[in-house]
Amino acid sequence: TNDPRCLTPSMWTPLSGHCEIDIRRGDEGDPLRGVVRFSRPGEMDVDIVVGRHVWQQECVERGVAMAALEAKVVGLPDLVLLKLYAGGPQDAWDVHQILGLHAAADVPAAVERRLSMLPKDAITLWRRILAERAR
């Protein structure tokens, strides 16, 4: 989402007794407005990523509705775009993993079609990842 209200603690008050909620606000130089992480012992963490840009909201709008949720989850090509935009070492590793597991799902071609929305450093990272995978 791009909705900054998600970074307001009162938004999550109804969930506070069910899980730990960690709200991380990005500063002006951060590629994201922030992240809200939900944690419970013995279960996988869930993050809500709060973007800054229209193209990030478009990723969400193209998302897939999950049966157990009343929210959309971004598809793999858009997840790759978001990871490329974030641009950290963990994000690059995540992209490698996504491509390794889902290369046959036309993820690279879909990423290429949307790549022009990203800044130059994210495009450079994508090209580097593709070159590494081609070796």
Side-chain angles (χ1 to χ4, degrees):
T1 185
N2 279 16
D3 190 339
R5 293 176 297 174
C6 291
L7 299 171
T8 306
S10 62
M11 174 94 169
W12 307 110
T13 301
L15 297 178
S16 62
H18 301 282
C19 60
E20 182 179 327
I21 301 166
D22 180 19
I23 298 173
R24 302 175 197 166
R25 292 179 176 272
D27 61 24
E28 287 304 315
D30 205 316
L32 301 172
R33 276 196 180 118
V35 175
V36 182
R37 174 162 286 171
F38 302 89
S39 305
R40 282 175 55 160
E43 295 191 28
M44 182 181 288
D45 293 346
V46 174
D47 290 342
I48 293 180
V49 177
V50 184
R52 293 187 183 278
H53 305 287
V54 171
W55 70 266
Q56 292 167 325
Q57 187 60 35
E58 291 170 353
C59 289
V60 173
E61 290 167 2
R62 283 190 294 267
V64 179
M66 301 299 288
L69 301 173
E70 292 183 27
K72 290 184 176 181
V73 176
V74 296
L76 291 174
D78 287 321
L79 179 58
V80 169
L81 292 173
L82 292 166
K83 291 288 186 178
L84 292 170
Y85 181 71
Q90 179 65 49
D91 300 299
W93 186 87
D94 292 343
V95 170
H96 275 286
Q97 300 311 301
I98 291 167
L99 294 176
L101 295 173
H102 302 283
D106 198 33
V107 171
V111 169
E112 287 287 337
R113 286 191 298 273
R114 300 175 186 151
L115 199 59
S116 65
M117 298 183 295
L118 298 183
K120 186 176 181 173
D121 57 336
I123 295 170
T124 300
L125 176 58
W126 174 245
R127 301 284 180 239
R128 189 189 88 215
I129 289 170
L130 290 180
E132 290 169 358
R133 295 190 55 74
R135 290 186 208 150

